[in-house]
Amino acid sequence: MNVSVVLFTSDLRLHDHPPLLAALDGAREVVPLFVRDRAVDAAGFAVPNRLAFLSDCLRDLDAGLRERGGRLVVRSGEPVEQVCRVAAEAGADEVHMSADVSAYAKHREERLRRALEAEGVRLHVHDAVTTAVAPGVLTPSGADHFAVFTPFYRHWSQKRLRDPLGAPRSVRVPDGVGSQELPSDKGTSPGPAPGGESEARRRLTAWLRDGIAAYEDRHDDLAGDATSRLSPHLHFGALSPVELVHRARATGGPGAGAFVRQVAWRDFHRQLLAARPDASTADYRTRHDRWRTERTAREDIEAWREGRTGYPVVDAAMRQLRHEGWMHNRGRLLTASFLTKTLYVDWRIGARHFMELLVDGDVANNQLNWQWVAGTGTDTRPNRVLNPVLQAKRHDPDGAYVRRWVPELAGIDGASVHEPWKLPARERAALDYPDPLVELPEGLARFRKARERG
Ligand code: FAD
């Protein structure tokens, strides 16, 4: 066998990349290929913040390949058509790629397999590249996936992971396979994190050295910003989840267990979406909600999106999202609970807004976390409602997070920043900051009534 194609998708790295190493093992020359899929653009998934991060990833991947004597081939269009065309141009007899979980990715894989087979080219799909444990490997008796995280995690943590692989030393790409220019998209958020495997590995090393030990105690500290911020790197596959888990465990520190447990949530949502692809848009477990929508709650939804709800911690988190294309997990929980439960707005509206801005925006993690918070997903306490004031006092006790993101409130000392409506009337009147959209007991009563009715 002479030439293989490696189709990169959400695995934009050289370290621990089983499809690339398998291709190099079996072929004299390899075409590392990325196809910019026009259908993904058309479906609205290719938003500026993620395209900017993707550009960084592709540039870094190309640079890494060039250091090894190769290069990245970039094409755009319909992926099946493009892969077949490149395989024909290169005279390839095999194509390697990673398995993925969404309905779209699985459909693409099936179509690709059929089209390549018709040309006499074999498709190899590799598991456990974009997850630590492949979906479907762990199942409870009598079901095709775990619907509750705790038993999933028990099995997941006992599963032996394959050993991580090193990056290849050299990659020979056949002459004459043309490439488009690498993209250089710009995001809409002014303060996004840079992407690319080099940056991902730098961040991982720093995290394991300086951050992970305190994770258990500090992961909910909104102002402390003491989580790994590895989510965009995992989403684009610049970092291998298998390698991440191995290296995190090897630190042996007190925070490692709590951190790895969080990474397992990622696999949990992936095995769930793989089994229930409709859960990206339909309730995983219906509660018969008759949600408020753009038509019935337009102003509330707009205030939430803009970070003008009158609840400082909710507004701070929504503004962090807009500025950075990222939001702290505690902020995501609070803002999603506020939208779906306090305002009783359809979770799909919130999920769509997050997907428009998040650099780590990911169908499995975003939609299923939204469903978890909305109580239509896997939370075993579907009617719990987070109180944004109590949450703020607990997770931002001196108000530093709110003051950072809501400059109108920057002059208010201590925890009183979380309840500006309690300030003396004159001070209150001087603030350019809205009154709460809804009183919390009123929101709670509306939600409870709706769920009882359901
Ligand atoms: P860390 O705390 O350092 O955790 C390490 C890694 O574990 C993360 O990078 C992530 O890959 C994984 N992880 C952590 N928490 C979760 C979780 N609850 N579910 C699944 N995986 C998790 N995460 C995304 O990657 N993409 C999304 O689109 C996304 N949307 C979300 C929407 C809502 C409403 C909520 C409540 C959570 C969402 N999350 C999403 C999960 C979580 O908030 C982020 O993964 C996390 O905040 C990323 O920051 P970090 O890398 O510093 O996380």
Side-chain angles (χ1 to χ4, degrees):
M1 180 199 331
N2 285 324
V3 183
S4 285
V5 173
V6 177
L7 177 62
F8 284 86
T9 53
S10 35
D11 51 3
L12 303 175
R13 62 175 182 267
L14 294 175
H15 291 80
D16 194 39
H17 198 289
L20 177 61
L21 288 194
L24 287 166
D25 236 18
R28 197 169 43 82
E29 293 180 317
V30 165
V31 185
L33 172 66
F34 180 82
V35 181
R36 169 102 184 249
D37 186 343
R38 293 289 172 220
V40 171
D41 291 7
F45 284 114
V47 299
N49 281 348
R50 284 196 294 285
L51 285 177
F53 201 88
L54 173 66
S55 293
D56 290 351
C57 289
L58 295 177
R59 288 178 173 276
D60 196 60
L61 185 58
D62 182 59
L65 286 162
R66 284 181 191 276
E67 277 166 26
R68 293 162 173 84
R71 67 194 161 91
L72 183 66
V73 172
V74 177
R75 298 283 174 101
S76 57
E78 203 290 307
V80 172
E81 215 176 281
Q82 293 300 323
V83 176
C84 289
R85 189 173 297 168
V86 169
E89 285 172 26
D93 39 23
E94 295 200 335
V95 173
H96 293 260
M97 69 182 291
S98 306
D100 210 339
V101 294
S102 70
Y104 179 77
K106 286 202 223 167
H107 183 53
R108 175 183 62 193
E109 181 191 313
E110 278 164 31
R111 288 189 302 119
L112 185 57
R113 186 183 303 283
R114 268 186 267 121
L116 287 171
E117 269 172 14
E119 306 292 325
V121 180
R122 271 191 69 187
L123 177 67
H124 298 269
V125 179
H126 299 255
D127 279 333
V129 184
T130 60
T131 51
V133 177
V137 167
L138 306 173
T139 50
S141 57
D144 63 352
H145 70 284
F146 278 96
V148 179
F149 177 71
T150 309
F152 170 80
Y153 179 62
R154 234 188 349 263
H155 286 79
W156 186 92
S157 48
Q158 283 158 12
K159 176 89 188 137
R160 195 187 170 280
L161 302 186
R162 64 173 176 76
D163 291 332
L165 308 164
R169 287 231 188 91
S170 74
V171 179
R172 278 190 57 177
V173 179
D175 294 335
V177 181
S179 172
Q180 292 173 349
E181 275 192 22
L182 294 169
S184 52
D185 291 283
K186 296 273 171 281
T188 43
S189 291
E197 184 179 17
S198 310
E199 171 62 18
R201 297 189 76 74
R202 193 197 58 72
R203 183 167 275 282
L204 170 62
T205 303
W207 168 249
L208 298 178
R209 190 188 54 222
D210 306 328
I212 194 170
Y215 184 78
E216 189 161 16
D217 295 336
R218 299 196 53 214
H219 69 274
D220 267 335
D221 172 1
L222 279 162
D225 200 2
T227 64
S228 70
R229 288 195 179 233
L230 290 171
S231 53
H233 302 290
L234 286 164
H235 172 68
F236 285 93
L239 201 59
S240 148
V242 170
E243 182 183 353
L244 173 64
V245 172
H246 273 290
R247 287 181 61 181
R249 281 181 178 151
T251 64
F259 177 73
V260 167
R261 188 175 195 275
Q262 220 53 36
V263 177
W265 271 101
R266 191 174 171 273
D267 277 11
F268 173 68
H269 287 142
R270 282 180 153 61
Q271 58 94 43
L272 205 150
L273 187 67
R276 281 279 308 273
D278 64 310
S280 64
T281 50
D283 288 349
Y284 178 70
R285 285 204 178 93
T286 181
R287 307 288 174 197
H288 306 288
D289 288 293
R290 273 175 267 160
W291 299 110
R292 296 166 77 224
T293 63
E294 298 277 5
R295 197 172 51 77
T296 51
R298 195 173 53 80
E299 282 174 16
D300 285 2
I301 296 168
E302 208 36 48
W304 176 82
R305 285 190 186 121
E306 295 297 324
R308 303 271 306 161
T309 67
Y311 287 96
V313 76
V314 171
D315 295 341
M318 293 306 291
R319 295 184 197 188
Q320 179 180 28
L321 171 65
R322 196 172 285 282
H323 185 88
E324 293 188 358
W326 185 86
M327 194 200 285
H328 192 286
N329 181 57
R330 182 52 50 181
R332 298 187 204 207
L333 290 165
L334 277 169
T335 54
S337 172
F338 189 81
L339 186 76
T340 57
K341 288 176 168 166
T342 306
L343 298 180
Y344 197 54
V345 166
D346 194 330
W347 64 265
R348 280 158 281 245
I349 291 173
R352 196 177 317 126
H353 179 70
F354 270 33
M355 283 302 266
E356 274 166 24
L357 290 168
L358 279 175
V359 176
D360 65 24
D362 179 283
V363 176
N365 266 356
N366 189 54
Q367 312 303 93
L368 294 171
N369 267 299
W370 268 96
Q371 293 228 42
W372 190 91
V373 177
T376 60
T378 59
D379 188 2
T380 49
R381 288 171 54 204
N383 292 337
R384 81 171 98 192
V385 179
L386 298 180
N387 177 316
V389 179
L390 298 180
Q391 287 277 314
K393 287 180 178 171
R394 185 175 314 153
H395 301 299
D396 186 30
D398 61 8
Y401 180 71
V402 164
R403 278 190 292 276
R404 185 180 306 157
W405 291 108
V406 188
E408 305 95 290
L409 304 178
I412 304 173
D413 288 338
S416 32
V417 76
H418 296 309
E419 296 169 289
W421 53 87
K422 286 192 177 166
L423 291 170
R426 198 174 325 146
E427 261 182 73
R428 175 82 198 86
L431 292 175
D432 174 26
Y433 187 70
D435 288 329
L437 271 186
V438 59
E439 297 295 329
L440 296 178
E442 202 185 303
L444 192 60
R446 172 173 54 198
F447 173 67
R448 292 217 168 118
K449 199 164 153 217
R451 281 284 158 99
E452 277 161 22
R453 203 180 47 210

